[in-house]
Amino acid sequence: MKKLNILLAASEVVPFAKSGGLADVSGALPKALKDLGHDIRVVMPRYYVVDKEKYNLKLLEGALSVHMGSMGEMWAAVYEGKLPQSDVPIYFIEYDEFFGRKGLYGEDSDGFSDNDNRYIFFSKAVMQLAKKLDFRPDVIHANDWHTAPISLLLNTTYAFDPIFKNTGLLLSIHNLEHQGKFYKGAMDVLGVGWEHFTVKELEEYDGVNFLKGGIVHADAINAVSKKYAQEIRTSEFGFGLQSLINDYEYKLFGVLNGVDYDEWSPSIDKLIPFTFDIDNLEGKEKCKAELQKEFNLPQRSEVPMIGFVGRLAEQKGIGLISSCFERILEMDIQIVLLGTGEKWAERFFKEKAEQYPLKFASYIGYDNTIAHKIEAASDMFLMPSLFEPCGLNQIYSLRYGTIPIVRATGGLDDTIENYDAYHKSGTGFKFYDASPIALLNTVQWAVDVYYNDKEGMQALRSNAMSKRYEWSKAAQGYEEIYHHIINGRLNSHHN
Ligand code: ADP
Ligand code: GLC
């Protein structure tokens, strides 16, 4: 197959800056694409948290000129580095007025008030970077609303630029809830012409919707799991864009994310106190004892420990959990939770930890090491999301023999197979209704299997631990979409 030039633009990339799974994806997929022989390059903003010295970033000569419409011309510096343990170049767009602050998108759950300008700037800088490097992409791979404007820029401002003569665009949707909705004045900064401010393109209720414009102009869209690609066509999951997405159903794909098993494997994980594997789970038991100590929970090896790691956002089912939390805690179990997000939820879990010190412990904050320790130590992992485009933590859990308890939605449904006691098959416990009672029943079921069906629990563990979601496979799925885009463009040029 032809080797491609690919430019992947994302608002966050591990290990440089991360708020969620998008960073995991944009740090790992490029390495897998490189292994397939493609010339893949990554670009992200140089946020304040990106440590130039630690990552040995080099300043490129010459600044990028970025035309910000009514705001005038601005100049961005570019730093270059490599994705760790790879040859993949990553470029950082530096403009301190926009990115030299604490926080990626905002200081708390409210976004910065100039996020429209920040990501218009970044999107334009991506285009200018390709020109500066004389890198002629076959495909630009944009991700979520932040870089969705690239899709529009490619078809307007840069439509006749020779650098982008053969460039197609893939937009990955990692989360449809966040669409980048702003005051229509952003049109003047975007500078693509007000003729694009119509309900068929960027306009929504007299404001601008970046993701909407991105969807319209992209050559293809990927929704990170097959199930989610179907769900976003319905009013329950479409966040108002379902009919638009249905119009473009022909360019919609659902390639599932992979896992970076260099980071998430219990046999080589450097962040956990004891390593283990499918043939020897002694290390897992020790990890559990260690975590109980760290979180001041009673040292009991026989009690089932349920872990939770994630953003405390409605998406993650925290409303369901809080509605039946006391009922869940009536069982003889331990729960360990790590997360940040909604203020009410942070308060709620802090209070519950004080109220139930023998059963529940929480760490309100962001900490990658604790995330690994919880994955390793827990017997089960709770992820009752209302919607979940792909979800990574349940897949990490499988590898650590930590049995997921999930709601059957999006990637959770695609990656977790329900336990069948008769055949001793399955990898987790699934429920369907987004209701506290369904969640409670399923946790009760899981706890019952833990105590009373040892053989079943063992089977679940070994089924889970032998599952693999390799990036090399996901990368092939992306490769197919890229070729599909390129062939589509070739055909339309010939007609
Ligand atoms: P989302 O992208 O919706 O947040 P994913 O499951 O795809 O959900 O990815 C979440 C990623 O962020 C995982 O790698 C998870 O371990 C990590 N993560 C989430 N919250 C925290 C936290 N409080 N501390 C450490 N890591 C976290
Ligand atoms: C989003 C989704 C999550 C997905 C991640 C990476 O943040 O909420 O389900 O795994 O992006 O694609």
Side-chain angles (χ1 to χ4, degrees):
M1 255 205 246
K2 183 177 170 269
K3 299 306 170 206
L4 304 176
N5 285 351
I6 306 158
L7 187 59
L8 184 140
S11 57
E12 51 182 89
V13 182
V14 285
F16 308 101
K18 165 166 167 176
S19 78
L22 169 59
D24 292 311
V25 173
S26 43
L29 170 63
K31 294 195 215 174
L33 287 165
K34 185 82 179 181
D35 289 342
L36 292 174
H38 301 294
D39 186 350
I40 163 104
R41 308 187 186 193
V42 182
V43 48
M44 69 174 282
R46 209 296 285 187
Y47 299 107
Y48 180 69
V49 291
V50 177
D51 187 332
K52 290 188 235 177
E53 268 177 30
K54 179 171 164 200
Y55 297 112
N56 195 20
L57 307 185
K58 300 267 182 305
L59 179 64
L60 292 193
E61 226 175 86
L64 293 181
S65 151
V66 181
H67 287 272
M68 289 288 281
S70 55
M71 293 177 84
E73 186 181 22
M74 297 176 180
W75 296 88
V78 183
Y79 284 83
E80 183 180 1
K82 290 270 161 67
L83 288 183
Q85 279 104 46
S86 85
D87 252 348
V88 178
I90 172 161
Y91 302 94
F92 297 86
I93 304 299
E94 181 171 85
Y95 189 77
D96 278 347
E97 272 93 322
F98 285 148
F99 302 117
R101 343 175 161 164
K102 212 173 140 230
L104 308 188
Y105 313 121
E107 273 204 67
D108 40 43
S109 38
D110 296 335
F112 293 126
S113 60
D114 59 350
N115 271 347
D116 46 355
N117 296 336
R118 296 172 78 228
Y119 289 101
I120 289 173
F121 179 86
F122 178 60
S123 296
K124 290 185 173 188
V126 170
M127 302 303 278
Q128 290 299 96
L129 175 71
K131 283 169 72 79
K132 177 185 166 65
L133 299 173
D134 194 22
F135 184 70
R136 294 160 191 257
D138 294 297
V139 178
I140 297 180
H141 186 161
N143 293 276
D144 281 348
W145 70 265
H146 321 88
T147 44
I150 296 176
S151 161
L152 191 71
L153 292 170
L154 192 62
N155 285 349
T156 55
T157 318
Y158 294 88
F160 299 103
D161 193 312
I163 293 276
F164 302 110
K165 191 164 154 262
N166 297 316
T167 305
L169 189 129
L170 171 64
L171 175 64
S172 279
I173 298 179
H174 299 268
N175 194 327
L176 197 61
E177 183 179 13
H178 306 288
Q179 299 178 4
K181 297 183 187 185
F182 301 101
Y183 171 63
K184 63 183 168 191
M187 287 304 294
D188 283 327
V189 181
L190 198 52
V192 294
W194 280 88
E195 65 271 25
H196 296 284
F197 189 69
T198 71
V199 286
K200 283 193 159 22
E201 291 186 57
L202 281 163
E203 183 186 353
E204 188 184 84
Y205 302 119
D206 204 35
V208 172
N209 182 326
F210 282 7
L211 192 67
K212 185 177 175 189
I215 290 169
V216 172
H217 282 271
D219 294 294
I221 306 158
N222 188 48
V224 300
S225 72
K226 284 217 160 46
K227 181 84 185 264
Y228 194 57
Q230 289 306 317
E231 286 173 338
I232 56 176
R233 298 172 58 189
T234 67
S235 57
E236 191 186 347
F237 297 96
F239 286 99
L241 291 184
Q242 58 276 9
S243 67
L244 181 88
I245 291 170
N246 273 314
D247 289 345
Y248 293 104
E249 178 271 325
Y250 63 90
K251 60 181 183 184
L252 181 59
F253 295 81
V255 174
L256 191 80
N257 294 329
V259 164
D260 188 344
Y261 288 114
D262 293 339
E263 295 293 322
W264 296 95
S265 285
S267 56
I268 52 168
D269 192 330
K270 294 200 173 56
L271 300 176
I272 59 178
F274 303 94
T275 55
F276 57 92
D277 213 338
I278 191 163
D279 308 317
N280 187 355
L281 289 169
E282 210 178 293
K284 187 169 176 70
E285 279 168 36
K286 289 189 187 161
C287 284
K288 181 168 163 183
E290 200 57 33
L291 198 75
Q292 285 171 334
K293 213 185 286 167
E294 193 173 332
F295 277 89
N296 278 323
L297 288 165
Q299 293 276 304
R300 295 175 58 200
S301 62
E302 78 291 357
V303 71
M305 179 189 274
I306 302 179
F308 178 101
V309 177
R311 292 180 293 114
L312 299 179
E314 287 298 343
Q315 174 195 346
K316 300 293 173 183
I318 52 173
L320 298 183
I321 299 178
S322 63
S323 306
C324 61
F325 204 54
E326 308 220 327
R327 293 291 308 279
I328 291 178
L329 289 175
E330 281 172 10
M331 290 179 266
D332 191 10
I333 58 169
Q334 294 182 346
I335 302 182
V336 179
L337 173 140
L338 165 68
T340 54
E342 297 273 349
K343 292 288 160 256
W344 73 260
E346 295 188 349
R347 247 193 331 266
F348 176 86
F349 289 117
K350 259 189 203 153
E351 276 169 23
K352 292 295 162 208
E354 282 163 20
Q355 225 174 320
Y356 297 91
L358 301 180
K359 290 193 168 180
F360 176 55
S362 71
Y363 181 98
I364 303 302
Y366 188 93
D367 189 313
N368 187 41
T369 305
I370 299 179
H372 281 251
K373 287 180 177 171
I374 293 179
E375 286 289 4
S378 306
D379 297 295
M380 287 168 280
F381 190 87
L382 187 59
M383 204 159 164
S385 307
L386 301 183
F387 71 95
E388 197 60 76
C390 175
L392 294 169
N393 277 109
Q394 85 280 11
I395 314 182
Y396 302 156
S397 299
L398 292 175
R399 189 71 190 83
Y400 287 77
T402 303
I403 305 308
I405 301 171
V406 303
R407 189 165 101 79
T409 182
L412 295 174
D413 200 20
D414 284 355
T415 55
I416 305 303
E417 193 195 323
N418 217 352
Y419 176 53
D420 172 340
Y422 184 74
H423 296 100
K424 301 280 178 254
S425 63
T427 52
F429 301 97
K430 278 208 267 203
F431 65 101
Y432 291 80
D433 245 19
S435 70
I437 190 73
L439 167 63
L440 176 65
N441 285 340
T442 311
V443 177
Q444 284 168 338
W445 174 32
V447 170
D448 181 55
V449 170
Y450 181 91
Y451 278 121
N452 303 316
D453 177 8
K454 299 275 177 220
E455 201 192 322
M457 200 62 206
Q458 234 167 22
L460 275 164
R461 275 222 168 112
S462 89
N463 297 344
M465 293 181 84
S466 45
K467 282 267 173 230
R468 288 293 180 279
Y469 290 89
E470 302 283 354
W471 266 117
S472 53
K473 178 158 175 265
Q476 285 170 11
Y478 276 102
E479 205 177 33
E480 275 172 32
I481 307 180
Y482 297 152
H483 281 290
H484 179 84
I485 291 175
I486 292 162
N487 294 337
R489 285 181 87 89
L490 285 178
N491 291 339
S492 65
H493 284 287
H494 288 310
N495 292 338

